[in-house]
Amino acid sequence: MLTVALPKGRLGSKVYKLLEKSGYACPEMDDDTRKLVLENKDAGVRYLLVKPTDVPVYVERGVADVGIAGKDILEESEAQVYELMDLGFGKCRMAVAAPQGYVENPDRTLRVATKFVKIASTHFAKKGRNIDIINLHGSIELAPIVGLSDVIVDIVESGSTLRENNLVVIEEFMPISARFFANVSSYKFNETEINKMLQCLKEAIDD
Ligand code: PRP
C-alpha cells in the first residue's frame, strides 16, 4: 500500500482527479469529506489530506511515500525528496512585483514582503542585494500599497491580483507547476510500486 500526501484545496482536486484517472480512485473521496485519511485497499493506496505547504514535510519524514505539491512549495520547504515528475498543471511564475512607477534606490535596503522567505532570500542573495524580509501569510499584494514593503515576491498566475492592485511584475524568476515526488528511502524499498504509480500518472496525463 502506498501512502500519498495530497494537498487540500484547488490543486488537490486536480491532483485527485488525475490519480482517479490513473487507477487510484478512493470511493470515500468527495469535496465535503472531513476525513483526513482515506484508503482504497484494492487499489493499494492511502491518502493523507494535508495543507499544501505541509506535503513536503509528510514525504520527507516518511509518513507518506509520495506527495504532490507546487514547485514553489517544494523549493521553499527545502525538503530532501526525490522529484520524479512534472505533472504539467498548476502552472504559474514566481515574481518580484512593485507598484506601477516604482523606482528602486540601490543605496537602501530593499523591503520585500513574501510568504516565500527562503526563495526570496536566495533570489536576492544571488544578486548580492541587501533585503529586509517581511514575512506575511496572505494578501501579499497589500504590503507595498500601504507602505509596509517596497516590493513583493509572490506567485503570479493570471496576473489579475497584481492588475487590480496596480502592481506590475519587475522580474519573473521561477517557473512553477505541480510536482510528484517521493521519500528517499521509501523510493528504494517501494521502487516497483512507486514506478508503477509514476507510469500510470504519465499515461493518464498523455491520454
Ligand atoms: C495567490 C498569490 C497571489 C494570487 C496570484 O494567492 O499569493 O495573490 O494567488 O494569482 P493571480 O495572478 O491569478 O491573481 P491566494 O489566492 O493563494 O491567496 P492569498 O492571498 O491567501 O495568498
Side-chain angles (χ1 to χ4, degrees), residues 10 115 137-141 154-161:
R10 252 188 301 173
K115 311 187 246 210
H137 299 91
S139 303
I140 313 299
E141 291 81 359
D154 201 9
I155 53 170
V156 179
E157 194 177 348
S158 65
S160 56
T161 312

